[in-house]
Amino acid sequence: MIAIVQFLAKNKAPFTINIYPFLSLYGNDDFPFNYAFFDGDTTPIVDATTGIQYTNVFDANFDTLVSSLKAAGFGDMTIVVGEVGWPTDGDKNANAEAPHCDLDISKFTLFGLIDEDAKSIAPGSFERHWGIFRYDGQPKFLVDLSGQAQNKLLVPAKNVLYLPKKWCMFNPNAKDVTKLADNINYACTYADCTALEYGSSCNNLDANGNASYAFNMYYQVQNQDDLSCNFEGLASLTTQNISQGNCNFIIQIATSSTFSLRPSLVGLLLMSLSALMLL
Ligand SMILES: *[C@@H]1O[C@H](CO)[C@@H](O)[C@H](O)[C@H]1NC(C)=O
Ligand SMILES: *[C@@H]1O[C@H](CO)[C@@H](O)[C@H](O)[C@H]1NC(C)=O
């Protein structure tokens, strides 16, 4: 570390640190919950040498770095917070209700614009849920990017086109369910099932609901290809919105190729053609 810090100092580069109060909570069930938040009502932790009182782990982590750099003889080094954030699903502490700080976006770089359903979940299931927008460009929570603490929703993406309102679900008439687990596994290998994980938005589904969620995620990520809602006869299509409570069974956004095949558009085209012919 000293060699790296010397190198940074020599080249007048800042020291960049990532501080994730969320990961402190995630990594240790005994971590004091409120200490992870800026406005947490928490008994301060007092630094024995300086007497400084800490009410959140962000400040404490940051000062630990400042103090270490000072001790190593680099007290005047510029420090940049490289990453900080809070995911909204995939863990019991990951949700859109967690308090946010309001950032002046002119001073920040945004790390995750929308959720990423294919990102590696090696760090944890929450890793796909860092976006400030949902997969379809719809805002998830109140935040003020002008830094003026006016809690407001970001402007949603406009004119988003979705695939038809068709969902893939567990077929309640399925006779042989011995291969259900294998099929759920298959679906979740190629689609995002992180919302099913412990403490996540879809964790309270029953076994059939679990299967339906997995099958639907696969079906949607395959752009509603009919062949992708079979699962050895265990799945069937429905036009009923099978979402339950906070658990949203999504409809995929239209891709450019599906867009051109949309029947309504074909109809529109034919109508314009006949209008032209009338002229
Ligand atoms: C549903 O799936 C989740 C995640 O795989 C699992 O933790 C849960 O126990 C399942 N629920 C039922 C009722 O099978
Ligand atoms: C399905 O229902 C959920 C929950 O009520 C809702 O949030 C979602 O927008 C609905 N989806 C569609 C495609 O209508």
Side-chain angles (χ1 to χ4, degrees), residues 82-123:
E83 294 177 18
V84 63
W86 205 277
T88 55
D89 209 351
D91 181 63
K92 65 179 192 296
N93 293 313
N95 57 64
E97 283 82 51
H100 316 100
C101 54
D102 291 304
L103 306 174
D104 178 349
I105 197 70
S106 65
K107 300 188 179 75
F108 289 85
T109 304
L110 199 55
F111 180 88
L113 189 63
I114 58 170
D115 282 350
E116 298 169 83
D117 65 355
K119 197 175 180 187
S120 162
I121 47 169

Side-chain angles (χ1 to χ4, degrees), residues 17-69:
I17 182 175
N18 297 347
I19 303 178
Y20 279 100
F22 169 78
L23 292 182
S24 301
L25 260 187
Y26 178 75
N28 186 346
D29 275 340
D30 296 326
F31 191 86
F33 185 79
N34 285 336
Y35 198 56
F37 300 97
F38 285 121
D39 54 359
D41 171 21
T42 183
T43 317
I45 290 176
V46 184
D47 183 278
T49 13
T50 61
I52 297 176
Q53 301 196 345
Y54 291 98
T55 55
N56 70 78
V57 68
F58 182 95
D59 289 345
N61 274 187
F62 188 84
D63 273 13
T64 303
L65 173 65
V66 171
S67 154
S68 307
L69 286 174

Side-chain angles (χ1 to χ4, degrees), residues 165 167 241-245 247-249 251:
K165 292 195 177 196
W167 289 262
N241 185 347
I242 49 174
S243 299
Q244 295 182 38
C247 176
N248 191 16
F249 283 62
I251 295 289

